[in-house]
Every structure is written in C-alpha cells, then in structure tokens.
Amino acid sequence: MPDVVHDLRIFLLSALALAIASCADSTAPYQPDDPRLFLAVAAGSGHTCGINAEGRLLCWGQNEAGQLGDGTTEDRTFPAPVAGDLRFVSVSASGSNTCGITDDASAYCWGSNYFGQLGNGTDSSHATPAPVNTSDIVFSAISAGGARTCGLAVNGTAYCWGLGPLGDGTQDTVAAPVKVDGEIRFNSLSAGGDHTCGVAADQTAYCWGSNFYGELGTTTTETCGFPEEQNTWPCSTVPLVVSGDITFSQLVTGWGHTCGIALDDDGVYCWGDNYSGQLGDGTATDRPTPTRVISPDVMFTTITAASGTTCGVAPDGTAYCWGGQPLGNGSDSSAVAPTPVSGSVRFEHLSVGGTHTCGLSMEGFIYCWGSNRRGQLGDDSDVLGWDTPVVVWGW
C-alpha cells in the first residue's frame, strides 16, 4: 500500500476517533476522554472483532455461520457493528463463533453452535448475540476455543461448555456451562482447539483436554475418543498441573500447543505441537513439557497463540511472532524463534487467528496481517493477503 494512502487513512481514523470521543454516551463503560478508536481486538479462524471506545463491538471477515453477529451470513471486508445495543468489555473469537462479556457482566455468544459451544442449551446457530445459560453464574472472562468455550466466574471458578472433555471428569459434550472439576480458583483461562489451560490463584498452571502432542505439559494416563473404532488419543478429563514447577502470570493455548509467561523471570515457555516452530525453541520438535523460547535480550509482557503460530509483545511495544503463517515480517517463511514484526507500530496486545494476526496499537488502531481471503484483515480491499501490518479500515 502506498505510504500516502496509509498516512491519509491514519489521519482520517484519528479524526474519527476524536469525533467518537467527543460525542460518547456518558453511560458507556469507557469515558469520552479516551481518544482511542479501539480498546481490544480478537482474531478467529477467518474473522476479527474489535471493541471501540464506546464499548461497541465491530466484526469483519468470514461470516457463513453468523460469527460476525450482524444478523447476516455475509462476509465483511470492513468492520460491521454487532446487532443490538450491547456494550462489551471483552471479546474472544474462535473458529466460527464469537463470545463476549458486556458491561453488566452478562455473557453472550454467537455463530456456529454445532457442539453447543454457544452455551445456550441448544445446538442452533445464531447470527446475533445470544445469552449464555448462566443461571446464577456471573462471568468475569470468557474464552472461545474451537468447538468449546470456557468462562471464569467472579469467584475464580471455571466453567466450560461445548465439545468435551470440558474438565468435569467426563468426555461429554454439553450445551450449557458445567463446572470444571476440583476446587481450583483461577485467575485466567484460555480455551484452545483441543484443550484448555488456566493459571490458578497461586500462579500454578493447569491444563485439560487432548494431550495428543503433549499440549497439556504433563504425562497423562487417560484416553479419549472412540475405542470401538480404534480411534483414541491421550487426554485428561480433569485439570492436571503442568510439569516443571514453574509459576505463570499468563497462559495461552493454540490448536495443539501451549505457551506461558513465567512469573519469576518473564521468560516464555511453550510445549506441545511444534510442526512449524511455534514453540520458539529453535527446532520443529514437539515438546511434552515446558521448554523455554529462544529470546535473547527480549522479555514479553503479553503473548497469544493459535493454529501453528505464537506472538508476543515486548515492554517497548515491539511485536514478535514465530511459527507458521505470515509473521508480519515481510516474508512467508516460518521461524523457529521470535522474529520482529515489520514497521514502527508499537502494540498493546496481539491476537493470532487461524490464518492471520491482528494487534491493537498504543494509539488505539488495529493492524492486521496474513490471509485476507475472507476480509479478515478489515482493510476493505480485494487483496488476498498482506505480509506486513495494514491498518483496519472501512467504517
């Protein structure tokens, strides 16, 4: 994209952000003195969503299951508002569904619901936000992962729903929240493609679900699957402590791997599937226990993972990615160690999707890179992909 067009878009987006701030509703969860255009971003397999400064949620990209929440099943190449008047404080995007927490602590999900991952007690898909069946549960966080979703209650209790195992001691698929086994109180949860992990209140890491690639970070004795068809794999139906006696401040899950930031030294450790170098240890060898990422002189304040890619943000806002898919560095090559994303943008946080990555800049703009075949980069173009960050545009 020519620099002059890029600069013009930034100028116009800045003006729009200030206009939004000047007329924001005083009852919104974010106050009008916040000039940023966006406050959060979440990337799914082929779509992306962002929360703007008024708490409104906008989504773009793939939409055949209604995962954009705008009441249609049409793909969007630019941000389109989610239907209704809900104000969101957090959002999580996955394969073909999206979930979020509103400013009144209500949980909503929409999109594909084949396995009950929307949590509303049915298997019917929804093209607009549908409330999760929470009865007396009040969620503080939600994480959509593949065909399952998990939520964290305000008291730290974890609940999951959708395709099992859900951590409740069974392999059952359930269309409404079920409590994760044990009396563990969690600070955070991350639902991946085939497993879930969380950081407990004492900073201990727990994981459950499939352990086919070693993504649980410990040895398991259970098997899940279909024994009558001789199709089984290692798993755990209850939370297990990750090996290594490492305490973590954050854990993130991909489709077959897990990464975390160690509490004692801010180093990143990864384990599980490593076919494209997503563990960042300089190899493409799977690891069944936490292995430190090669990151000389680079610490990370936040990390994100999905599919075969992991990314992180350094304290100065520089973004790094490793593994497969375009890493934002101008190349289509994979990397087995952290590689800096091109450009001078400084990021607050990143979100890796199935074939693309997006990040929220410190100025409140969203930038994306990777595949754009379904419009998931939000630049309102017919370009099939970008290998360096491009600013989201079009609304």
Side-chain angles (χ1 to χ4, degrees):
M1 177 183 296
D3 290 341
V4 64
V5 176
H6 180 275
D7 293 343
L8 178 59
R9 288 185 171 186
I10 291 294
F11 173 79
L12 292 175
L13 282 169
S14 300
L16 180 56
L18 292 173
I20 289 173
S22 67
C23 63
D25 189 332
S26 62
T27 63
Y30 306 108
Q31 298 303 311
D33 58 354
D34 191 336
R36 294 176 296 172
L37 185 62
F38 286 101
L39 302 178
V41 63
S45 286
H47 74 293
T48 311
C49 294
I51 300 175
N52 73 7
E54 293 181 299
R56 303 292 187 183
L57 187 59
L58 300 104
C59 298
W60 55 96
Q62 190 172 5
N63 195 31
E64 84 287 343
Q67 57 263 52
L68 301 189
D70 65 352
T72 78
T73 55
E74 299 176 9
D75 291 359
R76 306 289 184 185
T77 60
F78 55 87
V82 169
D85 296 322
L86 299 172
R87 305 289 180 94
F88 287 87
V89 297
S90 67
V91 60
S92 180
S94 185
S96 298
N97 62 288
T98 309
C99 295
I101 303 291
T102 60
D103 59 355
D104 64 355
S106 298
Y108 290 83
C109 292
W110 55 96
S112 175
N113 197 29
Y114 186 82
F115 295 101
Q117 61 264 47
L118 301 190
N120 59 12
T122 76
D123 60 2
S124 299
S125 297
H126 286 264
T128 59
V132 175
N133 287 357
T134 56
S135 59
D136 58 348
I137 306 169
V138 178
F139 287 111
S140 60
I142 198 165
S143 179
R148 70 186 52 78
T149 306
C150 293
L152 186 64
V154 292
N155 66 354
T157 302
Y159 295 82
C160 294
W161 55 95
L163 181 65
L166 301 173
D168 64 340
T170 76
Q171 298 182 47
D172 296 344
T173 294
V174 184
V178 295
K179 181 180 176 295
V180 172
D181 187 70
E183 300 305 319
I184 306 167
R185 293 295 180 263
F186 288 93
N187 286 338
S188 62
L189 291 175
S190 178
D194 57 6
H195 69 299
T196 304
C197 295
V199 177
D202 64 357
Q203 311 302 142
T204 300
Y206 290 85
C207 294
W208 59 94
S210 171
N211 201 29
F212 187 86
Y213 299 102
E215 56 264 55
L216 301 190
T218 189
T219 302
T220 55
T221 57
E222 282 188 271
T223 57
C224 293
F226 311 96
E228 67 280 2
E229 301 175 8
Q230 297 184 333
N231 182 17
T232 62
W233 52 88
C235 73
S236 178
T237 59
V238 297
L240 297 179
V241 176
V242 173
S243 299
D245 296 323
I246 304 170
T247 54
F248 289 91
S249 60
Q250 182 189 2
L251 284 181
V252 294
T253 52
W255 289 96
H257 77 292
T258 309
C259 293
I261 299 178
L263 187 65
D264 59 346
D265 63 359
D266 292 332
V268 176
Y269 291 79
C270 295
W271 55 95
D273 191 10
N274 197 26
Y275 72 92
S276 62
Q278 60 263 47
L279 303 190
D281 67 346
T283 76
T285 303
D286 295 355
R287 305 291 184 182
T289 56
T291 303
R292 185 156 181 149
V293 170
I294 297 174
S295 54
D297 303 320
V298 179
M299 295 291 103
F300 294 98
T301 58
T302 181
I303 55 175
T304 177
S307 189
T309 305
T310 310
C311 295
V313 177
D316 67 353
T318 301
Y320 293 80
C321 292
W322 55 98
Q325 68 171 267
L327 302 178
N329 61 357
S331 168
D332 289 332
S333 300
S334 59
V336 295
T339 303
V341 172
S342 297
S344 58
V345 180
R346 293 295 175 259
F347 291 93
E348 287 189 3
H349 68 263
L350 303 173
S351 181
V352 178
T355 57
H356 70 297
T357 301
C358 294
L360 179 71
S361 76
M362 291 182 175
E363 294 76 25
F365 301 115
I366 293 175
Y367 292 81
C368 298
W369 58 92
S371 174
N372 196 33
R373 292 182 180 276
R374 304 301 292 268
Q376 60 263 52
L377 303 190
D379 68 335
D380 196 23
S381 78
D382 57 3
V383 176
L384 296 181
W386 295 93
D387 55 19
T388 57
V390 59
V391 70
V392 169
W393 177 250
W395 73 280

